[in-house]
Every structure is written in C-alpha cells, then in structure tokens.
Amino acid sequence: MTLPREEVVKGLVDEIDEFGTLVASLSDDELAKPSRCEGWTVGDVAAHVTGQLADIVHGRFDGLGTPEVTQRQVDERRGRTGVELAAELKEANAIGKTIVESIDDAAWAGPAPGPVQTTMGEGVEGLWYDAYVHAEDIRSATGRPSERGPGLRASVAHLADLLTQRGYGPATLALDGLEAFPVSGGVEAGAGGKTIEGDPLDFVLVATGRRDPATLGLDDKVNVYAP
C-alpha cells in the first residue's frame, strides 16, 4: 500500500531537507559516536544516506543496496564534517526533487531503475522511510528527541508493504494515532490474523531489528531484515 504519489514526493524532499539540517548540526564528537546500526558511527549513518541519494540522482544503480556499495558510500565520505555532508545532501536533494516531481502516474506504477524489484513509487517511498529511520538512529545516538511527523506514518506504511512481501501475517497494524495498515490482506479484509497495536515508533524500531519484538508481544518474524 504505497501512499499517494504527491504525498510521497513531498514527504521525501522534506525528509531529506530535515535530515540535512540534522546532520549540519552535528559536532565532530557527535559524528564519532557509535550508532545502533552495528559497526557504524553517526557519521557513517549520515554518509550512507547522503551517498545513497547521490548515487541515485546521478544514475549509479549498479549494486545499489548491497553491502559493498553501501560500504563504498560510507568510505568515500569518511572524515567529512556534518556541514560538508549536509552540503552534498542539499545538492543531491535539489536534483532529486526535479526528478521525482517529473514522474507521471504510469512511471510511478512501473518498475524502479536498478536491481531492486519494486515499483518506482515503492522505491521513492522506501527512500523516505530509510531517511526517517536513519535520522532516528542519529537522534538516538546523540541524545536528541525523536520526531513524530509524516515520516513515521510513511515508515509504518512502507513496513506494512515489506512485511507483506515477506509473507508475514495476515495482520493489521492498528498503531496509536494512525489509520490501519493491512499486512497480507489484514484482519479487516477478512483474511484473519491478528491486530498489532501500540506506539508506532516502537513498532518501527521492532520491525527494523532495532528493538526487542517482545516489547510489543511479537516475535522475530516481524523484523523485515531478519534472515
């Protein structure tokens, strides 16, 4: 269930802008702090998000999303300040804004470029989700408060899609303050299953392997990155 195209386009551009503002505010000491992404510092997280967007807007799709390319994105930017990373991100976001705003409905529903087997719309929504979750990784590591804006809702919507693709459920995500998002048909569609309730940010952390699923009464199958 990809969110409406206009919402996703604006949401991604705004999320990247906010990510850049966050990164620009980081001191060298904060960039060196360990993050909850195993083996990565805060600076590595910022470098990955920056490098991923730069690769996409410049058409570098080979191996995108693989550990090797992700590590290359980080290595190429190692040692940069937050201001330097934010400057590259701002430039890439300006190019990306032009690209995503030019996508028509047919292309939005068509295949995304690169190795990921998904539609263009799902791919753009995935970038929004990725930027939001990694911004939360940075806030957590540096003692900043979480942000509960449109990116949180988009992340729940995207995780519902990812869980469906993994064959999880059927279930319905009925999280606090959000509309229901079905997984594999969902309870409301008569497919049976269970209703998952609770705090939406807690769910995002659980479903991405960042928090123990038992906190929401779930098991490891809800982790979209589990083998």
Side-chain angles (χ1 to χ4, degrees):
M1 177 184 161
T2 302
L3 298 174
R5 177 164 62 93
E6 295 79 5
E7 180 181 349
V8 175
V9 167
K10 183 179 186 304
L12 172 62
V13 173
D14 289 350
E15 192 71 51
I16 296 296
D17 275 343
E18 292 173 12
F19 192 94
T21 299
L22 172 62
V23 171
S25 74
L26 298 171
S27 68
D28 289 345
D29 286 345
E30 287 176 318
L31 288 167
K33 287 181 177 293
S35 78
R36 58 190 171 197
C37 299
E38 186 176 357
W40 275 9
T41 65
V42 166
D44 293 339
V45 174
H48 159 60
V49 173
T50 301
Q52 178 174 250
L53 186 62
D55 280 348
I56 290 170
V57 302
H58 292 296
R60 297 188 290 263
F61 298 113
D62 288 349
L64 196 67
T66 63
E68 294 79 13
V69 169
T70 300
Q71 190 61 50
R72 189 254 305 155
Q73 293 163 352
V74 172
D75 291 343
E76 287 177 345
R77 292 161 181 81
R78 198 173 303 281
R80 293 190 190 178
T81 66
V83 170
E84 289 169 337
L85 289 168
E88 183 185 7
L89 193 62
K90 181 177 181 180
E91 179 182 348
N93 199 30
I95 299 170
K97 182 175 186 290
T98 300
I99 293 171
V100 295
E101 287 181 345
S102 70
I103 300 172
D104 61 21
D105 287 339
W108 189 259
V116 179
Q117 300 299 306
T118 186
T119 68
M120 180 75 77
E122 289 166 345
V124 176
E125 185 182 83
L127 289 174
W128 183 7
Y129 147 82
D130 192 64
Y132 173 79
V133 173
H134 281 317
E136 284 301 301
D137 291 333
I138 291 174
R139 293 184 185 106
S140 174
T142 59
R144 288 166 166 79
S146 294
E147 293 289 337
R148 293 173 176 270
L152 177 57
R153 175 173 171 268
S155 295
V156 172
H158 193 68
L159 285 165
D161 283 344
L162 293 179
L163 287 167
T164 297
Q165 291 165 19
R166 288 174 61 89
Y168 184 87
T172 296
L173 307 181
L175 302 167
D176 299 345
L178 300 181
E179 70 269 39
F181 291 97
V183 176
S184 300
V187 177
E188 293 183 356
K194 59 185 173 183
T195 298
I196 298 174
E197 300 177 327
D199 179 78
L201 182 54
D202 284 345
F203 175 79
V204 169
L205 297 177
V206 162
T208 58
R210 288 163 166 82
R211 185 166 292 173
D212 185 350
T215 60
L216 291 180
L218 303 171
D219 59 30
D220 288 339
K221 293 179 180 178
V222 77
N223 179 1
V224 297
Y225 300 120

